[in-house]
Structures are given as structure tokens and as C-alpha cells.
Amino acid sequence: VRLYDHPASGNCLKVRVLLRQLGIDYETVVVDLFAGETQEPEHLARNPNGRVPVLELDSGEMLPESAAILLYLAEGTPFLPSGRVERAQVHRWLFFEQNQVEPSVAVVRFVLLSGIDSPSIPNLQRLGRHSLETLERALADGRAFITGDDYTVADTALYGYVHCAADGGVETPASVASWLGRVEATPGFVNDLAPFPEHARR
Ligand SMILES: N[C@@H](CCC(=O)N[C@@H](CS)C(=O)NCC(=O)O)C(=O)O
């Protein structure tokens, strides 16, 4: 497979982490989102939404959206349970990540690391704290991973931006920090998130 990727993107990191953990050979093509390459016709033909990650399957079919890519790759592996309820719990946290974590924690990280002076920063940080407090409450029963005893793609997805929440000025509760450590200790886990490049600064 081929991954249209950016090294500083948490959404792309999720996919790179899982590809490595599954031992899948892949090739990366960096699409420089800070140079506007995601909005060029060539990339819009891969993803009408003009974003990365996009996974190009061996058939040539394009699959955008990090959560869809994780689910596709994890099918039939221990990272995606087959039971109806167990799988629904994975979906539930994937939706939460996209609805609440990504629009707050990831967006405020982007704003601060790009040097954008936005009046929405305090509100994004408040929403970010709220989503990390949700994780804290979910982990309060001592579970090892977000859906229970086993590491799943729900953890991979949440890790993408939760681990770098401090970049956006959002503090991480202690139980969430411990969970991050357990995710990082899963076999084959490598976090290769790159810093924002110099040309990201506005
Ligand atoms: N919901 C999407 C979000 C993807 C996304 O926001 N990608 C950003 C980088 S992290 C991007 O490509 N931005 C470039 C642009 O908007 O032009 C996913 O989970 O894959």
C-alpha cells in the first residue's frame, strides 16, 4: 500500500503506527499541507476533502479518513474485535475522537504551532480539557486500554492527538498519561511524529 502522508500530522501518525504494528510494507508520499499541496487538483483527485492521510490500496482505490483506514487495516487482527458489542465500543471511541478530541486538541495544537493569533484559542483549550477529562473518567475503573483489557484501534486513534495535547496548551490528567504509556509499550509501537516545519509559521 501507499500512504499519502505528512510527518507532523497526528492523523497520519495513527496510520503509520498501525501499519508498523501490523508489519505491513508501505510506501509514503509526503503531501506538504503547509505548502498547499493538499488542495492541489492532484491530491483532490485522491481525496475530495483535500486532506491527509489517504491510503492507496494495492488495487489503486483511495481510502481517506484516518478512522476508516485504521478499521480497514485492522480487520481480522486482534486490534479490532469481532463481537458486535466489543466492535461497537471501538467505533464509539473512534467517533468520539473525531467529534471531540480532533476538533479541539488537534486544532488548537495546529493554531499554536503555526503561530496563528486566534480568539478561539481559550475555547478550543476548554473543549480539549473536557475531552481529556472524559477519557480520565472512562479510565477511572483501572482498565488498561480505552475499551477494556486489550489494545485496539480506538487506542491508536486517540493516541494520535492526546499524546501531544500539551502542544496546544491542554494538560493531560495523570490517568490519561499512564494510559499513553501503556499504548507506547504495545509491541511494535513507534511514535515518529515530526515537529512542525519552519514554513508552517504564519
Ligand atoms: N478527519 C480526517 C482529518 C484529516 C485532516 O484534518 N488532515 C489534515 C492534516 S492533520 C490536513 O490534511 N490538512 C490539510 C488541509 O486541510 O489542506 C482524518 O481523520 O483523517
Side-chain angles (χ1 to χ4, degrees):
V1 293
R2 180 180 291 143
L3 179 65
Y4 295 92
D5 189 23
H6 193 283
S9 155
N11 285 313
C12 295
L13 170 68
K14 301 167 190 173
V15 179
R16 296 196 300 271
V17 163
L18 188 65
L19 283 165
R20 285 190 287 261
Q21 289 194 297
L22 290 172
I24 296 172
D25 279 335
Y26 68 100
E27 163 189 328
T28 48
V29 176
V30 174
V31 183
D32 188 351
L33 61 99
F34 299 108
E37 288 180 6
T38 39
Q39 302 304 317
E40 283 173 8
E42 195 183 359
H43 191 70
L44 290 168
R46 300 178 192 123
N47 178 5
N49 198 23
R51 292 175 186 224
V52 284
V54 177
L55 189 72
E56 182 176 347
L57 310 183
D58 292 339
S59 64
E61 184 161 348
M62 298 291 173
L63 182 60
E65 290 295 332
S66 59
I69 297 170
L70 295 181
L71 289 170
Y72 169 80
L73 292 172
E75 186 69 50
T77 78
F79 303 138
L80 182 62
S82 53
R84 189 174 177 184
V85 180
E86 292 79 6
R87 184 174 282 229
Q89 294 290 3
V90 172
H91 292 162
R92 163 255 185 121
W93 287 109
L94 291 174
F95 294 134
F96 171 78
E97 192 277 334
Q98 288 284 293
N99 284 325
Q100 285 175 250
V101 178
E102 216 266 1
S104 58
V105 177
V107 172
V108 75
R109 169 178 181 263
F110 181 87
V111 168
L112 291 188
L113 294 184
S114 306
I116 300 168
D117 185 17
S118 164
S120 59
I121 291 170
N123 194 42
L124 290 169
Q125 290 172 328
R126 188 183 60 76
L127 294 168
R129 272 194 295 277
H130 176 77
S131 58
L132 298 202
E133 284 160 11
T134 298
L135 291 179
E136 184 184 30
R137 283 191 289 272
L139 293 164
D141 63 2
R143 59 185 54 208
F145 296 103
I146 198 64
T147 60
D149 294 337
D150 300 318
Y151 170 73
T152 71
V153 287
D155 299 285
T156 326
L158 286 163
Y159 183 90
Y161 285 104
V162 172
H163 87 278
C164 55
D167 289 347
V170 179
E171 58 277 13
T172 309
S175 61
V176 176
S178 305
W179 161 81
L180 288 171
R182 290 191 292 276
V183 173
E184 286 165 354
T186 57
F189 190 99
V190 177
N191 173 4
D192 62 350
L193 187 69
F196 269 31
E198 202 46 54
H199 66 283
R201 301 290 299 184
R202 309 278 165 103

